[in-house]
Amino acid sequence: MTNTRYLVTDTPAKAILTFSIPIMLGNLFQQLYTMTDSVIVGRFVGENALASVGASYSLTSVFISIAIGGGMGASVVVSKAFGSADYKTMKQSISTSLFSFLLTSIILAVFGFIFSHPIMRALNTPGNILPEASAYLRIYFLGLPFLFMYNVLSSMFNALGKSKVPLYLLIFSSMLNVVLDIIMVGPMEMGVRGAGWATLISQGLSAIISFQILIRYLKSFGGTAASSYSGELAKRIWRIALPSILQQSTVSIGMMLVQSVVNSFGSEVLAGFSAAMRVESFVIVPMVAMGNSISTYTAQNLGAKQNERVIRGYRNAYLIVIISAALICIVLETCSDGIITLFLGKEGSQPAMATGTGYLTFMGWFFAFIGFKMITDGVLRGAGIMAVFTTANLVNLSIRVIIAFAAAPCFGIAAVWTAVPIGWIANWLISLWGYTKLRKKLTA
């Protein structure tokens, strides 16, 4: 067990990189197979099929964000117990988290399955793709409990310093999803539904395997792996999880609210926008991974009473973000046409190509700011400072929605993505104010 405590023993830069790289690689694989869904659907079935998957993308991203945010909130409680070597509380926190989020996911899945078609209509989904978009969303909701359990289990492994386990499972899940995609969308000609079933099966198997591995690992801490549910721990978990869910889902909620604006421009523009959104989800992985890593790093070091390491780790994370953002900018500014063509093919319509490349070339200059936002939010979350954290993300969400709704009808689809970096910068500045107050307490 000693080698899992490196977050409180190794130098901050080494500890953060050691912890974040497996998370980063795992998230890249996760995003890779969602991109593969879109590429295979777009190439095998056509532009309308890509738009059908993309029509629900912002909505499905909300639920993914709820799962990730919930897991991250729970991991703070688990990390603090692990950092202070309180293994009884650690096990009880894990059991409480798994039960709480499994129940939550089942409730959401039933609701979403029943109301998939009305939801897609409410998002102004173009009529020519509405049936396929609704069918894809229903399959997605069938697999929602697996999605929740996998993401919460991954957060538990991360909280225990075992970030390589989720990576290995994601590699397995990604490869399986790609194979099933090719078979179901290609030879079996299941279209959009095939992509949905491929994702459900691969995530389901990963969740089951992940649970079995966690049970075995917990036995190494002595006693039984299972522990009882604690109402008090549930309150602590949700107190941190709810703002974490808000932070993780801010981008997704914002995009869901403006999805109706995007959909109103028609299926061609929606196809290009969907392709660009898939690429964005892929390239921000280093930023998201750093935010998640610094959260666990902060929680463990505060639990171990090593306040000075939190400050040093935060500074090191900035350098990593700047380097990552520079590389992303170079790639997007030079390769955006080729990237969008991967999704649409050479026969892609001009509105779809223009929308996709316009989004990427504009956004390429601003990804450092989401990195700054993520790591600052991560420190606040790891320290349990949720008021500033919540306010910052609500401001981010409000800016994006207001500008998109007010400006897009007058200035076109570009107004939707023009609002994004403005929201990121506002979020970062508010969170930075909160971090400054935290730093004073840690150095007092």
Side-chain angles (χ1 to χ4, degrees):
M1 292 185 290
T2 55
N3 66 334
T4 61
R5 294 178 59 83
Y6 60 88
L7 286 174
V8 298
T9 57
D10 288 356
T11 60
K14 180 182 177 183
I16 292 171
L17 282 173
T18 300
F19 185 75
S20 65
I21 287 175
I23 296 176
M24 201 177 300
L25 292 173
N27 288 346
L28 284 172
F29 271 98
Q30 190 170 41
Q31 293 300 328
L32 181 62
Y33 81 68
T34 60
M35 284 180 64
T36 303
D37 274 351
S38 298
V39 170
I40 292 174
V41 167
R43 288 299 190 95
F44 276 83
V45 189
E47 195 171 277
N48 282 345
L50 175 59
S52 298
V53 175
S56 62
Y57 176 68
S58 61
L59 176 63
T60 58
S61 294
V62 171
F63 290 99
I64 293 172
S65 298
I66 292 172
I68 294 174
M72 289 172 59
S75 72
V76 171
V77 177
V78 175
S79 293
K80 286 185 176 179
F82 180 74
S84 60
D86 184 0
Y87 300 133
K88 180 180 178 181
T89 300
M90 178 193 78
K91 290 183 180 181
Q92 198 169 30
S93 299
I94 292 172
S95 298
T96 301
S97 300
L98 292 175
F99 178 81
S100 298
F101 289 108
L102 178 60
L103 180 61
T104 300
S105 68
I106 292 173
I107 293 171
L108 291 174
V110 172
F111 175 85
F113 185 84
I114 294 172
F115 295 103
S116 291
H117 194 75
I119 290 171
M120 295 310 298
R121 277 208 314 266
L123 291 174
N124 290 330
T125 304
N128 62 319
I129 62 171
L130 181 59
E132 287 297 294
S134 300
Y136 179 84
L137 189 59
R138 278 194 291 271
I139 297 170
Y140 173 86
F141 277 117
L142 284 176
L144 194 64
F146 291 126
L147 171 73
F148 263 70
M149 284 300 94
Y150 174 75
N151 281 284
V152 174
L153 286 164
S154 294
S155 295
M156 297 301 97
F157 282 117
N158 291 336
L160 302 174
K162 303 288 288 185
S163 57
K164 289 183 179 179
V165 174
L167 169 60
Y168 298 147
L169 288 169
L170 268 173
I171 292 173
F172 163 76
S173 178
S174 300
M175 299 304 294
L176 178 61
N177 187 80
V178 170
V179 172
L180 292 176
D181 262 339
I182 293 172
I183 295 173
M184 292 182 172
V185 178
M188 294 180 68
E189 297 184 348
M190 294 175 65
V192 169
R193 291 173 176 81
W197 282 112
T199 300
L200 187 154
I201 294 169
S202 58
Q203 287 183 339
L205 284 175
S206 293
I208 293 169
I209 296 170
S210 182
F211 180 73
Q212 293 297 323
I213 294 173
L214 179 65
I215 292 297
R216 291 185 180 182
Y217 181 64
L218 290 178
K219 291 180 181 178
S220 67
F221 291 90
T224 60
S227 188
S228 59
Y229 177 88
S230 168
E232 180 58 33
L233 282 173
K235 292 178 182 178
R236 287 169 55 189
I237 290 167
W238 279 107
R239 193 160 49 241
I240 299 175
L242 286 175
S244 296
I245 289 170
L246 176 62
Q247 185 264 345
Q248 284 292 307
S249 61
T250 293
V251 174
S252 301
I253 292 173
M255 291 314 302
M256 183 185 71
L257 292 175
V258 302
Q259 184 78 59
S260 59
V261 177
V262 177
N263 290 349
S264 68
F265 285 89
S267 58
E268 291 180 333
V269 169
L270 176 56
F273 186 82
S274 300
M277 285 297 296
R278 294 294 193 188
V279 176
E280 181 189 292
S281 298
F282 186 80
V283 300
I284 67 170
V285 162
M287 315 307 181
V288 176
M290 288 305 302
N292 296 350
S293 300
I294 203 71
S295 179
T296 300
Y297 172 87
T298 298
Q300 283 201 18
N301 279 279
L302 291 179
K305 312 296 183 184
Q306 300 197 56
N307 295 348
E308 188 269 340
R309 286 175 56 84
V310 174
I311 298 172
R312 290 168 56 199
Y314 178 67
R315 291 171 180 166
N316 290 332
Y318 262 84
L319 178 60
I320 298 170
V321 163
I322 291 170
I323 294 171
S324 300
L327 294 174
I328 290 169
C329 182
I330 293 170
V331 172
L332 292 185
E333 296 307 315
T334 57
C335 305
S336 59
D337 285 347
I339 292 171
I340 296 300
T341 301
L342 285 175
F343 292 87
L344 302 176
K346 293 182 179 180
E347 67 280 3
S349 65
Q350 192 279 329
M353 286 295 300
T355 300
T357 56
Y359 188 109
L360 294 184
T361 53
F362 175 81
M363 291 298 298
W365 298 99
F366 298 102
F367 284 108
F369 293 105
I370 191 175
F372 299 158
K373 156 192 149 46
M374 286 290 185
I375 59 175
T376 308
D377 285 348
V379 172
L380 296 180
R381 182 175 57 246
I385 301 174
M386 310 311 292
V388 176
F389 174 99
T390 304
T391 301
N393 283 276
L394 284 174
V395 169
N396 179 8
L397 173 60
S398 300
I399 288 173
R400 297 184 63 174
V401 173
I402 291 170
I403 293 178
F405 271 89
C410 300
F411 300 103
I413 189 66
V416 172
W417 57 76
T418 301
V420 175
I422 299 174
W424 288 347
I425 293 169
N427 189 154
W428 169 51
L429 292 175
I430 295 171
S431 295
L432 186 62
W433 174 77
Y435 169 76
T436 301
K437 295 181 68 176
L438 170 64
R439 186 179 60 191
K440 290 179 180 178
K441 291 182 181 180
L442 295 180
T443 56

